[in-house]
Amino acid sequence: MSLCAECFHQGDHTGHDFNMFRSQAGGACDCGDSNVMRESGFCKRHQIKSSSNVPCVPKDLLMMSEFVLPRFIFCLIQYLREGYNEPAADVPSEKDLNKVLQLLEPQISFLEDLTKMGGAMRSVLTQVLTNQQNYKDLTSGLGENACAKKSHEKYLIALKSSGLTYPEDKLVYGIQEPSAGTSTLAGQGFAGATGTLGQLDSSDEEDQDGSQGLGKRKRVKLSSNTKDQSIMDVLKHKSFLEELLFWTIKYEFPQKMVTFLLNMLPDQEYKVAFTKTFVQHYAFIMKTLKKSHESDTMSNRIVHISVQLFSNEELARQVTEECQLLDIMVTVLLYMMESCLIKSELQDEENSLHVVVNCGEALLKNNTYWPLVSDFINILSHQSVAKRFLEDHGLLVTWMNFVSFFQGMNLNKRELNEHVEFESQTYYAAFAAELEACAQPMWGLLSHCKVRETQEYTRNVVRYCLEALQDWFDAINFVDEPAPNQVTFHLPLHRYYAMFLSKAVKCQELDLDSVLPDQEMLMKLMIHPLQIQASLAEIHSNMWVRNGLQIKGQAMTYVQSHFCNSMIDPDIYLLQVCASRLDPDYFISSVFERFKVVDLLTMASQHQNTVLDAEHERSMLEGALTFLVILLSLRLHLGMSDDEILRAEMVAQLCMNDRTHSSLLDLISFENLVFCFGIIPGSYSFESVLSAVADFKAPVFEPGGSMQQGMYTPKAEVWDHEFDPVMVILRTVYRRDVQSAMDRYTAFLKQTGKFPGNPWPPYKKRTALHPSYKGLMRLLHCKTLHIVLFTLLYKILMDHQNLSEHVLCMVLYLIELGLENSAEEESDEEASVCGPERCHDSWFPGSNLVSNMRHFINYVRVRVPETAPEVKRDSPASTSSDSLGSLQSSRRPRVLQRENSGTAQVFSLVAERRKKFQEIINRNNNEANQVVRPKTSSKWSAPGSGPQLTTAILEIKESILSLLIKLHHKLSGKQNSYYPPWLDDIEVLIQPEIPKYSHGDGITAVERILLKAALQSRMNKRIIEEICRKVTPPVPPKKITAAEKKTLDKEERRQKARERQQKLLAEFASRQKSFMETAMDVVLGQCRDNVEPKKLPITEEEQIYPWDTCAAVHDVRLSLLQRYFKDSSCLLAVSIGWEGGVYVQTCGHTLHIDCHKSYMESLRNDQVLQGFSVDKGEFTCPLCRQFANSVLPCYPGSNVENHLWQRPSNKSVQDLIKEVEELQGRPGAFPSETNLSKEMESVMKDIKNTTQKKYRDYSKTPGSPDNDFLFMYSVARTNLELELIHRGGNLCSGGASTAGKRSCLNQLFHVLALHMRLYSIDSEYNPWRKLTQLVEEMNSQLGNEEQQAEVPILYHDVTSLLLIQILMMPQPLRRDHFTCIVKVLFTLLYTQGLVALSVKCSEEDRSAWKHTGALKKNICDAEKSHEVLLSFVISELSKGKLYHEEGTQECTMVSPIAWSPESMEKYLQDFCLPFLRITSLLQHHLFGEDLPSCQEEEEFSVLSSCLGLLPTFYQTEHPFISASCLDWPVPAFDIISQWCFEINSFTERHAEQGKALLIQESKWKLPHLLQLPENYNTIFQYYHRKTCSVCTKVPKDPAVCLVCGTFVCLKGLCCKQQSYCECVLHSQNCGAGTGIFLLINASVIIIIRGHRFCLWGSVYLDAHGEEDRDLRRGKPLYICKERYKVLEQQWISHTFDHINKRWGPHYNGL
């Protein structure tokens, strides 16, 4: 069911599992429909409707509409008739159709609006649309009206051209579709139609698709009878609704019409009439769909309609009964597929009578059949409809006929000589077709066969399935051998049969034998599924490599999670069923022959394999054994309960890798959960199993910054008891996943201390077999398997070629399976077997593995090449084979076998198998003798090729038990390593499940098997003890082979390379040039003075205005200064860079200038660059690959002079002040043209180029040197302020928080100082003089009023002054000069604090302070008392108009705080702290001193003493007073009055502005991104409908800026300005090139940095900690605060470039 967002939000759905999706093409909301949902779930609006009695509409009110509407609709139909012109090629030109539809848009919209008027109008429309009389009167064209006649003729022509007939028309039946290339007439239920072909269609009517490379394979027409013409070819329209639907189809389902037809559905009468009409037109829909060029769009629209009609069971049942819905659907599907049939080339290319669909046709390639199949699956989900289908024999025959079209499609032929020229990709179409057209309807039918009462249905399906299979075997001329080098992965008939068998046994309690065919049919049935298993091994062994990658693709798709339940599982199950009923020796022989490893199974050390290259032998043998293990271990359909299956599937997936919740749902495929087991994804059952087997790992962040999703990881006990390697092998698409599972298992064992080495896959106990399949275990107890196991154990022990640990592992696994599943009592009376089996006896006496294990085999006759070592050793007499006790099987090719047919003793798997087969065939079918195909020797090499074979006799004298014990010695590398454990501890035999045996390597496996063998039989126990007593020969020492030597050398070389690299790195570090990266800075400007975080606006009322940001305040201040003061002076009074400044950070690696140049050159030449632009100077550090865009020169020799400029001096403050002035006065000359100076110039250029012009040009005269000067010292300011922010806004924690970051401020200062000294400030204007000298004639300054005055010193930003003073000094700077500058500036800062305080307080406070301070003026320390100084400041400023201009408005602004001495002191300290922090950082970088750490309340005193502001003898007992840090260079009162005089002279004219400039906000909070709501739906509902402010339309990709909350259009053309899209523009305006945007329709965050962008990830996760990119899954999403914090951290620390690796250019298009 689906609900619209409105109804969903108004209903109560707490605790429900739901998906939100964006409907692309409208649809009907099910709220209010009690057929679909319970009334308790209705929304408030629909609940009221359903409960109240709706009054009837007065008849008079509707009269007009009843009269007008028939004519209106007829008018619409006439337009549609007129507009449709039948083009020559029967493909209406889309332009013409669209024109007609555009003309009719107002009329259709009008009808749509009528449907929205409510139930009354809809019922009128229903009456009009379904009234047959109205239709007849208006449309018959019988009257005098010429227009109506013409219209009717057009209608008849349209019908004809569609291959349809009008019953009254005297036309011949069966007009061919002009473009279909095949007849559209075919029988409904032609049982033998697949067997009998009509003539090949060699006409020139090939479809457009057919001619693409498929010319050779002619299309096939089936001979047809005309029984079902009515379904396909006859249409008679009796009402407007019917003709309207006809035109809707003809015009290929225009969206508006579809919406109108759907909007009418709430009317029940209409719903029934429309459904019947839809069914009536079903064949016509199929024909139009086939011809359509826009089949995708059309498919979606068809399904939009049909899903509303067929999802209602009551309606589907009614239409099935009244309109033959099932007949129509099956027939239409059959007809549809019939148009693309070709002759099958499987098995017998020349004489095959079978036809299959051609996967290269557009019909299959484009999934054109999908809407019809989807409808069929939909109606089969209704029990009443499915039962009718399963009861109808004719329908079942037709359906099996349909399925047989897919049997054997997309045949692969192995390329043996050259690589295939063109890799066909048709396999996608083939797999999709089998899954959708065959498997899904099958699962639908199976879901209704779950109880005993439905046995009859299963019998019907199985019966017709077997008939279809028999017809298929006949049609392809199959006898007993599959054609070599061919494979098809598509056997839907086999799979139908298998799955219905499985259901019959599992749910319906049917006797398996009652639904099984005879032995011969079983033998045939097993051949093709077995061929697929062998081909899988061949593909993985690279034997099909010449067929290209697509064959690997097929092998992977066959086992892939969405297909495995419908493909490999039924195949394996069918093979298990066949194995349980056929002769085990025959079955095992078939397996090894199919896998082509028969020749390898010889005791001889050398052999000839005529069907397999030596390089493929090992992997094919592994494949054969692995297949047997899977066949014998798997219990999916043999007795496991649904919960056990789900658990096993889940464990297998989790063992391969940790999984997210959604990927688990995806991997344990939907069909598996819903159809097979009736488990709904996300349901209680799924969740409870998941919580039982897995632990949830919350989303974490890796150090690299990559985002982890919430993952599920297996619990420890799952690894301990439930890890099943067999299930893992079955479910892996890639071989590496098996290795991954083993690696994780190994890690678990090491971690828990259960096993230290490299473990083998553990042996897992299996679920008990269902009694019906007990026969499967006979495979483990047949002599053929025992011979194979014995031979392989022997070969492994003798180190023969092509045997691997994997082979041994599988051999032991099979032995252990045999021991676990042996018969209860041992019988040795098994020698009396029937004649043909006699030849086994010389090998093993019986067929029970337990007794055969101890049977000693003395001699074996082998056929070996003459060159083999065995020949040389043996005497010629060894040919007397009669006296030998035992014979070996020479598994030779057939030609050799026939040549030696006289030697009866030579047992051959192949011969044995053939003999059995002939026997069974003769017994079952006498005619079969004539059909036996001649044995063609061409496929096998002739006897003469290769070395001649000769017979040799080997002395073996071993049993399986003795081989196992020797194997234990070999594996452990020790003599007599095996000691029976029960001799020490008899408990072992009583309690066999010992944990120590459950995990381990080969040695453990051997021990476990020997223990089980001893447990099963006393004889075995005794023999094991005997063997252990004998001394075994020593194991030969292991020679190091050439290959191993090679790997050892490799390891050694690697080690040396690693050492060299370490050396190089150490050298690099000691070199003299470091990388530095410059990056645009946006964060500082986002500091705010308000503690309350800003929230993302989610209603119209909430809007964000950026007035209170730090950047805005600084901008206002600068423009105010520039209004009244001299420009050059203004530019020295503030800092810029709060917005768009430059931040410099480094990775800390250094390299030579020349090396850097050559590195850049190599990058330029390398064109395969990703993510950065070398032309713009961007590169990545060659050592750590961190992104960079400049290099910063290291100042040479800076370490040498370190001690000189650290030395304290005893000079007085006055002397130091003079020295500073003198040093600043010396003009700085740029050093001579050296490499270093060039680099310094280029880095300065880089810094300037990184900054947008608007962020560095603030002067009224563009390009003035003052501007550069301001820009340069502001760079230093920006970097210091940012470092402070990274440390959390204060220095309490000392150097801790940024210890990890390498600083390059020292080098940056050198570069800046070098450039700033080129601009000497005229000594008259140097602020230093104003700070340290008294000016005699104050009044003279007031003379030149006209000239703009300089900025009063009290309006200067003290931190900016500090940087100017320091950067104007020659570098390196001396420590005492630095301290001197800080002391002088502190006096100014303190005075500014006093002035600001005086302006903030009320008039009464001022007069009180003025008075108290004046009293203390004469005390000795008056200059260090804030009270005295404040009183003096107030009295000085009172002389001007600063305090007089307070109007009534001003009074309200003044803070009503009562000032106490403590609060005054706190205010002054807070006012000075930002300056002290920046100064301390500067001192730390210039002189390398550590930063002190302290409590927050001590920060002021600690920093001031660290900076040398506090006198050394200062006592800390009494409360700390900030004024004690003052050290006035000239008498305090004189200099203060001089500074105040400047303010007074300004406030004479501009009192208000003068006051505003004095109050500076010193406390800025740290920058933050906007606060986001908890639930993503809140954001989505508000923004996805929000209109763009430019074009007032809802943008396709809305986004919102997370820094300022602005709503922008991503990629929106409406907002484009000069080729820049809105997001890029906004990133420049809001973040100087950095933008952080949340994409509303995708829940993803996108970062824009300059000309590049990257997808960052999502900060909203679902309940399982997963992202839902593009909102595909539609689960509710919640904010992940940790992720958002990481995003904010990366923004603040400017590390987007370094942490996010996937950057790409955006070309201004975002």
Side-chain angles (χ1 to χ4, degrees), residues 1590-1604:
V1590 179
C1591 62
T1592 66
K1593 287 186 183 159
V1594 174
K1596 186 167 174 277
D1597 287 309
V1600 65
C1601 171
L1602 292 180
V1603 177
C1604 67

Side-chain angles (χ1 to χ4, degrees), residues 781 783 825-833 841 844-849 851-852:
H781 298 284
K783 294 175 186 175
E825 72 286 339
E826 249 183 87
S827 78
D828 288 331
E829 275 67 57
E830 285 185 33
S832 56
V833 276
D841 299 352
F844 289 110
S847 59
N848 190 331
L849 177 64
S851 52
N852 284 353

Side-chain angles (χ1 to χ4, degrees), residues 1306-1342:
N1306 201 334
Q1307 287 84 346
L1308 178 66
F1309 280 157
H1310 279 294
V1311 174
L1312 292 173
L1314 197 73
H1315 284 78
M1316 278 185 66
R1317 299 230 341 117
L1318 299 180
Y1319 305 91
S1320 58
I1321 305 180
D1322 192 335
S1323 57
E1324 280 186 39
Y1325 299 128
N1326 189 341
W1328 187 246
R1329 299 186 69 171
K1330 284 192 186 177
L1331 291 168
T1332 56
Q1333 295 176 22
L1334 295 171
V1335 182
E1336 286 75 36
E1337 61 274 19
M1338 284 189 188
N1339 300 334
S1340 65
Q1341 286 186 0
L1342 298 173

Side-chain angles (χ1 to χ4, degrees), residues 1567-1601:
H1568 287 289
L1569 293 175
L1570 298 176
Q1571 193 175 331
L1572 296 179
E1574 182 68 26
N1575 197 323
Y1576 187 70
N1577 198 34
T1578 319
I1579 297 179
F1580 183 75
Q1581 291 304 336
Y1582 174 60
Y1583 282 106
H1584 90 286
R1585 293 200 206 102
K1586 194 172 163 72
T1587 52
C1588 163
S1589 53
V1590 179
C1591 62
T1592 66
K1593 287 186 183 159
V1594 174
K1596 186 167 174 277
D1597 287 309
V1600 65
C1601 171

Side-chain angles (χ1 to χ4, degrees), residues 24 279 524 578 636 734 855 870 923 1241 1243 1270 1407 1696:
Q24 300 299 321
V279 172
K524 283 183 178 176
C578 293
L636 284 181
Y734 301 101
H855 181 73
E870 286 88 346
R923 194 164 62 228
E1241 262 183 276
V1243 77
L1270 164 68
S1407 54
F1696 283 136

Side-chain angles (χ1 to χ4, degrees), residues 489-771:
F489 284 94
H490 305 285
L491 304 171
L493 286 171
H494 285 75
R495 289 157 194 166
Y496 263 72
Y497 181 59
M499 291 323 296
F500 274 91
L501 280 188
S502 167
K503 257 305 181 241
V505 176
K506 186 172 179 176
C507 304
Q508 299 174 318
E509 301 169 25
L510 256 173
D511 175 32
L512 181 61
D513 291 315
S514 69
V515 280
L516 283 180
D518 55 22
Q519 293 267 309
E520 183 196 350
M521 185 63 172
L522 278 177
M523 283 178 166
K524 283 183 178 176
L525 276 177
M526 78 176 230
I527 293 295
H528 290 94
L530 183 56
Q531 185 68 21
I532 293 179
Q533 307 315 311
S535 301
L536 280 180
E538 288 178 7
I539 291 165
H540 288 306
S541 307
N542 293 330
M543 287 167 65
W544 287 70
V545 74
R546 291 192 178 91
N547 286 58
L549 274 176
Q550 57 91 26
I551 193 76
K552 274 212 153 153
Q554 292 186 55
M556 286 172 178
T557 311
Y558 175 69
V559 298
Q560 197 257 339
S561 63
H562 295 102
F563 296 89
C564 60
N565 304 108
S566 312
M567 296 192 129
I568 189 169
D569 290 1
D571 288 355
I572 298 268
Y573 168 71
L574 188 60
L575 286 168
Q576 288 173 321
V577 170
C578 293
S580 69
R581 294 298 185 272
L582 289 171
D583 178 82
D585 291 298
Y586 163 75
F587 190 89
I588 295 285
S589 312
S590 304
V591 170
F592 287 107
E593 194 197 350
R594 237 359 96 246
F595 279 83
K596 303 181 179 170
V597 289
V598 173
D599 292 336
L600 173 65
L601 302 173
T602 167
M603 293 280 189
S605 59
Q606 290 182 13
H607 64 276
Q608 256 182 305
N609 194 333
T610 43
V611 284
L612 202 59
D613 296 341
E615 74 217 53
H616 300 137
E617 279 188 334
R618 174 196 287 192
S619 56
M620 286 303 286
L621 179 61
E622 287 174 2
L625 292 168
T626 307
F627 163 68
L628 277 176
V629 166
I630 289 175
L631 188 83
L632 292 159
S633 309
L634 207 62
R635 299 281 184 273
L636 284 181
H637 293 283
L638 306 186
M640 284 174 88
S641 69
D642 293 348
D643 276 351
E644 285 173 329
I645 294 174
L646 179 59
R647 191 173 178 119
E649 294 272 6
M650 212 176 267
V651 167
Q653 293 299 347
L654 288 167
C655 287
M656 291 179 227
N657 279 304
D658 289 350
R659 306 281 188 193
T660 60
H661 190 271
S662 61
S663 67
L664 263 180
L665 272 178
D666 191 46
L667 289 163
I668 302 169
S669 73
F670 186 80
E671 288 81 20
N672 190 345
L673 293 173
V674 180
F675 293 129
C676 315
F677 316 126
I679 295 165
I680 311 302
S683 67
Y684 171 72
S685 183
F686 185 89
E687 298 303 329
S688 60
V689 171
L690 182 56
S691 57
V693 298
D695 292 321
F696 179 64
K697 279 200 310 197
V700 291
F701 313 99
E702 291 177 350
S706 61
M707 299 292 156
Q708 287 289 316
Q709 310 268 33
M711 292 283 194
Y712 286 89
T713 188
K715 291 180 186 288
E717 57 266 28
V718 167
W719 283 119
D720 221 350
H721 305 298
E722 293 185 56
F723 171 46
D724 181 7
V726 176
M727 194 70 186
V728 171
I729 289 169
L730 183 72
R731 286 291 178 254
T732 44
V733 178
Y734 301 101
R735 290 294 167 99
R736 61 169 181 261
D737 288 340
V738 181
Q739 193 51 51
S740 162
M742 280 309 298
D743 292 346
R744 286 157 62 83
Y745 172 64
T746 308
F748 162 76
L749 293 183
K750 280 185 181 154
Q751 199 181 334
T752 50
K754 290 181 190 283
F755 187 76
N758 283 333
W760 277 22
Y763 176 84
K764 183 175 178 292
K765 274 189 99 62
R766 301 283 147 195
T767 318
L769 267 179
H770 187 284

